[in-house]
Amino acid sequence: MPDVVGRVEKRLLIAGQWRPATGGGTFAVEDPATGRTLCEVADGTPADAMAALDAADGARAAWSAVPPRRRAAILRRAHDLLIERREEFALLITLEMGKSLAESRAEVDYGAQYLRWFGEEAVRIDGGWKVSEDGSARVLVMRQPVGPCLLITPWNAPLAMPARKIAPAVAAGCTMIAKPAPQAPLTTAALAEVLIEAGLPAGVLNIIPTLDAAGVTEPLLRDGRLRKLSFTGSTPVGRLLLAQAADTVLRTSMELGGNAPFVVFPDADLDAAVDGAMTAKLRNIGEACIAANRFHVHADVAEEFAAKLAARMGAVTLGPGTDPAAGLGPLIDGRGRGKVAELVDDAVAAGARVRTGGHVPAGPGYFYPPTVLTDVPAGARITREEIFGPVAAIQTFTTEAEALRAANDTEFGLVSYVYTRDLGRALRVSERLETGMVGLNRGYVSDAGAPFGGMKQSGTGREGGRTGIDEYLEQKYIAVDAPPEPDMDGPEG
């Protein structure tokens, strides 16, 4: 097995230089499959964060003036390098996050798609020109980079999430400071190395891993030089960051928590619905904001669906992501596993029935088995809180209106999944679901070319698609004085 952990940088990236944290502090990164320490990484301080902002602000003017084609070429070169090194990146993701190598390879491809997509969007940043209503001026509209950005990314997709934020910022001409999650900072550092090799100038991208997230981000958010915050993480942390960003009227985009409903109507293709449920529930070990959280299944097909899903999930083998025979890796840490177990225990105590799984296995690592619960009462915590683990909690409904009420009965609104063969119902339900995305007869919605984001307390703004780059651009209107229009009182000739 190649020593990918040994080769990756573990220091801070500031102004194009890898350097230790102020004071020399470090923190441990664990392998969630064993609980053992993989390595020590520099633990950034508030002083390091301000040095990173100095670097980003210092590089701002020069980088914003770089032609779009050059920015596009850097992203395309980084895409190609990432694909060339797919196996190394996949192994690094698996070691620090836990998912299987097959899923990690898929994440490398997915993250690379953002580099390619936004490289292509860089040369398509446009503006506008028109005659003013009274003819006295010409209206010129241009779009310019918003300025230095703070990008805060989670641990559950340590390549795709940084790529989804860094790529549009690079394409737009913004400089940035990235703060990866401390559970999985290594892949972000490796991505930064690829971008530097691809030609990204010093100071454009700065990396500050830290255990002191609040201490590092607070002075950045108070500094008027920072002009954009992009955060992916929990809704409670998102609310706190939004409140802090208000002081400097900071531009924000937030991809927050989810509580995704998975709705199965009686006319659905049940085998296809079970296939979709396996993807929507077990992809990324269930540790995804878009993971199906609440299964609403019509009473007429609920037992058949539950039996088929339990058989499929019960056959999945637990094991380290590096084991080709393992179908499901570990959860990220003891705290994450503890919450999953707590939610299952609460549901069972309230009357839910365990169809498969439902217990913490013995042995090292943070494993939790694929679990199916039926007869889940409406008041159970598992119906209200994001599970972030491989647990399917099934409830039943009898009418379309009842299904919609249950699906929308949450403060979250990121994604929904719907299975039906009735076209009218498919369109009607999709329109009425209060989520930013809908998987219609499909258990997977992520796409670099589509606008990813949610409604309600699942966030603001969109990442990906043609609108993804708009989050990093300001519009500027210039009124250009124009000569008086000629007298056209009547037709000539």
Side-chain angles (χ1 to χ4, degrees):
M1 185 180 294
D3 184 19
V4 293
V5 172
R7 289 200 295 268
V8 72
E9 266 292 350
K10 300 166 189 70
R11 295 173 291 177
L12 315 178
L13 176 62
I14 299 176
Q17 300 295 317
W18 295 98
R19 56 174 158 172
T22 301
T26 64
F27 63 86
V29 179
E30 273 190 341
D31 176 355
T34 63
R36 297 172 184 164
T37 297
L38 287 170
C39 64
E40 295 280 334
V41 171
D43 188 4
T45 67
D48 295 321
M50 297 312 293
L53 182 56
D54 290 342
D57 186 56
R60 173 182 182 175
W63 176 242
S64 66
V66 168
R69 177 57 66 190
R70 182 180 163 200
R71 300 199 298 267
I74 291 170
L75 288 171
R76 183 56 196 238
R77 174 62 176 151
H79 164 275
D80 294 346
L81 289 170
L82 199 55
I83 295 301
E84 287 174 15
R85 299 169 191 174
R86 179 190 286 115
E87 290 303 312
E88 292 182 24
F89 270 89
L91 179 56
L92 189 59
I93 292 168
T94 292
L95 289 174
E96 70 172 345
M97 184 269 162
K99 70 179 74 174
S100 70
L101 282 171
E103 280 201 280
S104 293
R105 293 184 189 104
E107 183 179 339
V108 175
D109 293 342
Y110 177 50
Q113 287 172 16
Y114 282 103
L115 301 179
R116 182 179 62 194
W117 174 271
F118 284 109
E120 293 165 349
E121 289 296 294
V123 297
R124 294 181 175 88
I125 299 172
D126 56 14
W129 172 271
K130 71 172 186 176
V131 178
S132 66
E133 186 177 345
D134 65 1
S136 67
R138 300 297 180 263
V139 175
L140 172 65
V141 179
M142 62 176 62
R143 297 201 291 170
Q144 297 176 309
V146 67
C149 306
L150 173 59
L151 313 177
I152 303 177
T153 58
W155 50 261
N156 60 331
L159 176 67
M161 294 303 96
R164 194 159 74 183
K165 298 179 189 300
I166 291 169
V170 169
C174 294
T175 57
M176 67 213 85
I177 304 159
K179 192 205 79 62
Q183 295 93 332
L186 302 175
T187 308
T188 300
L191 176 60
E193 291 180 284
V194 162
L195 285 159
I196 292 168
E197 185 177 341
L200 196 68
V204 174
L205 174 62
N206 305 274
I207 309 287
I208 308 290
T210 183
L211 287 180
D212 184 15
V216 161
T217 58
E218 186 178 359
L220 293 172
L221 297 176
R222 287 201 311 262
D223 195 304
R225 294 175 296 171
L226 188 75
R227 296 310 311 142
K228 160 79 179 177
L229 166 65
S230 178
F231 171 74
T232 297
S234 72
T235 295
V237 174
R239 291 192 198 106
L240 177 62
L241 290 171
L242 282 168
Q244 292 175 327
D247 287 342
T248 53
V249 195
L250 193 64
R251 187 166 180 171
T252 60
S253 55
M254 297 273 162
E255 197 263 282
L256 306 178
N259 191 4
F262 190 104
V263 185
V264 182
F265 286 98
D267 64 317
D269 180 333
L270 283 192
D271 289 331
V274 170
D275 287 342
M278 292 292 289
T279 299
K281 183 69 266 182
L282 295 190
R283 177 176 169 268
N284 220 58
I285 326 172
E287 295 174 313
C289 55
I290 58 172
N293 216 58
R294 298 168 293 143
F295 285 78
H296 302 285
V297 185
H298 194 276
D300 289 350
V301 296
E303 176 55 34
E304 183 180 358
F305 176 85
K308 289 185 174 185
L309 182 60
R312 290 280 300 276
M313 288 180 66
V316 174
T317 303
L318 292 177
T322 52
D323 182 353
L328 195 73
L331 298 178
I332 188 65
D333 54 26
R335 180 180 177 186
R337 183 174 68 173
K339 180 185 178 183
V340 172
E342 186 178 304
L343 290 174
V344 170
D345 292 345
D346 173 79
V348 171
R353 176 186 171 196
V354 178
R355 302 294 289 264
T356 189
H359 63 278
V360 175
Y366 305 113
F367 294 93
Y368 196 87
T371 298
V372 176
L373 304 178
T374 55
D375 305 319
V376 178
R381 285 175 53 199
I382 205 165
T383 67
R384 304 189 308 272
E385 299 180 27
E386 193 169 21
I387 302 170
F388 241 59
V391 180
I394 299 176
Q395 299 173 289
T396 61
F397 67 89
T398 56
T399 67
E400 182 179 307
E402 182 186 353
L404 277 167
R405 280 196 302 272
N408 289 333
D409 186 20
T410 174
E411 68 267 33
F412 300 105
L414 188 58
V415 64
S416 301
Y417 301 94
V418 178
Y419 275 78
T420 178
R421 285 184 279 201
D422 183 322
L423 178 59
R425 172 183 282 150
L427 295 175
R428 188 168 60 243
V429 170
S430 295
E431 289 174 354
R432 294 176 184 175
L433 285 166
E434 297 171 353
T435 57
M437 300 174 287
V438 177
L440 183 56
N441 294 324
R442 180 176 173 83
Y444 180 68
V445 297
S446 298
D447 187 326
F452 189 105
M455 300 177 179
K456 299 192 286 189
Q457 293 191 38
S458 284
T460 61
R462 294 295 183 269
E463 294 183 313
R466 287 181 294 176
T467 59
I469 201 168
D470 293 340
E471 301 287 340
Y472 297 88
L473 294 167
E474 294 279 17
Q475 289 195 62
K476 179 181 287 184
Y477 150 53
I478 302 173
V480 183
D481 196 31
E485 294 290 334
D487 185 3
M488 298 289 289
D489 288 339
E492 293 185 358

